[in-house]
Amino acid sequence: MYVIKNKHRNAFKTYDGWTAIEKGTLTGLSNVMRFTEREAQLNADRLPSGSRFIYFPRRRWKDLQ
């Protein structure tokens, strides 16, 4: 999966806006917009300034299951 990262904000795009860093912790990752490789290729030229698609593998945490 691919996500949108903005280097100016140092944040990831979510459905509600952008992730935030609160007290040193990145919040909002569960709501990040995810794209397939093909969607990222087709929309790479339509991103706002400072944004790009980056590969973000699916995370599975053993202690949360």
Side-chain angles (χ1 to χ4, degrees):
M1 301 306 303
Y2 287 80
V3 297
I4 298 173
K5 182 175 184 191
N6 186 287
K7 69 178 180 180
H8 301 301
R9 295 175 180 256
N10 195 23
F12 299 95
K13 182 71 175 152
T14 66
Y15 290 101
D16 300 328
W18 296 91
T19 55
I21 298 175
E22 297 175 5
K23 297 180 182 177
T25 303
L26 183 64
T27 59
L29 276 178
S30 61
N31 197 23
V32 170
M33 297 173 73
R34 293 174 174 85
F35 302 88
T36 64
E37 182 177 1
R38 185 69 176 144
E39 288 173 326
Q41 290 171 353
L42 292 173
N43 295 306
D45 61 341
R46 296 183 181 139
L47 294 175
S49 176
S51 296
R52 65 185 176 101
F53 283 103
I54 61 167
Y55 180 71
F56 196 82
R58 185 173 186 162
R59 307 276 193 230
R60 293 184 190 249
W61 306 102
K62 291 181 181 179
D63 57 341
L64 296 177
Q65 294 179 2

